[in-house]
Amino acid sequence: MLISEAARLTGLTPKMIRHYEDLGLVNSVRAPNGYRIYQAQDLDTLHFIVRAKELGFNLADIQQLTSLWRNQQRPSSEVKQLAQAHIQDLESRAALLLDMAAKLRVLAEQCQGDQHPDCPILDGLEGGCCHPSTPDKTAVPPRSNHASAAGPL
């Protein structure tokens, strides 16, 4: 099948399929006219990649997973180790997002949301953010030059 049909069946763009081919994740054969031709096994690989991306794996992990998937002699412990490391990364990112949401919630609760120009949200972004455990939620902490890796929030 041509790349356009492979794209339609997988939900990928032809550009992404070519990118995955450049990375060695999928291979096509060339027709005499130069068109890429994909086989059923290539579609299986593309579907595998799509599912891995849906679970948040990055391309380096997908390359490793694809290699393990193709290797029938693989130890499943390698796959599990990769999955567990990814789970830890997802949970860390989720915790960071929840922390950011909690800090922004504090600022949003302080904002009157009316026609007046005073805005604790903007003040908090300018000078740092209140922590959810701060007893006085009306106070905006002083500006700090020490921003965390997640930013000033």
Side-chain angles (χ1 to χ4, degrees), residues 57-74:
F57 284 100
N58 62 36
L59 280 176
D61 288 342
I62 290 172
Q63 286 176 309
Q64 192 173 358
L65 285 167
T66 304
S67 176
L68 289 165
W69 177 55
R70 289 177 178 151
N71 177 4
Q72 296 301 309
Q73 303 304 313
R74 69 186 171 259

Side-chain angles (χ1 to χ4, degrees), residues 22-129:
D22 290 343
L23 294 173
L25 292 170
V26 66
N27 298 309
S28 65
V29 294
R30 295 290 183 141
N33 61 4
Y35 288 175
R36 289 174 167 89
I37 304 295
Y38 295 92
Q39 307 299 319
Q41 67 198 31
D42 301 317
L43 274 184
D44 291 342
T45 300
L46 292 170
H47 284 294
F48 183 91
I49 294 167
V50 167
R51 287 188 294 272
K53 286 194 70 63
E54 287 172 351
L55 290 174
F57 284 100
N58 62 36
L59 280 176
D61 288 342
I62 290 172
Q63 286 176 309
Q64 192 173 358
L65 285 167
T66 304
S67 176
L68 289 165
W69 177 55
R70 289 177 178 151
N71 177 4
Q72 296 301 309
Q73 303 304 313
R74 69 186 171 259
S76 63
S77 61
E78 286 184 43
V79 181
K80 185 173 182 173
Q81 182 180 11
L82 186 62
Q84 288 176 323
H86 186 59
I87 290 167
Q88 288 178 335
D89 181 56
L90 289 172
E91 289 174 343
S92 294
R93 289 190 292 167
L96 179 62
L97 289 172
L98 288 172
D99 184 57
M100 290 175 3
K103 290 174 181 177
L104 185 55
R105 185 175 296 109
V106 168
L107 293 173
E109 288 170 356
Q110 294 173 3
C111 183
Q112 296 300 315
D114 56 18
Q115 298 303 317
H116 294 94
D118 296 333
C119 182
I121 298 169
L122 296 176
D123 293 342
L125 292 173
E126 176 186 1
C129 179

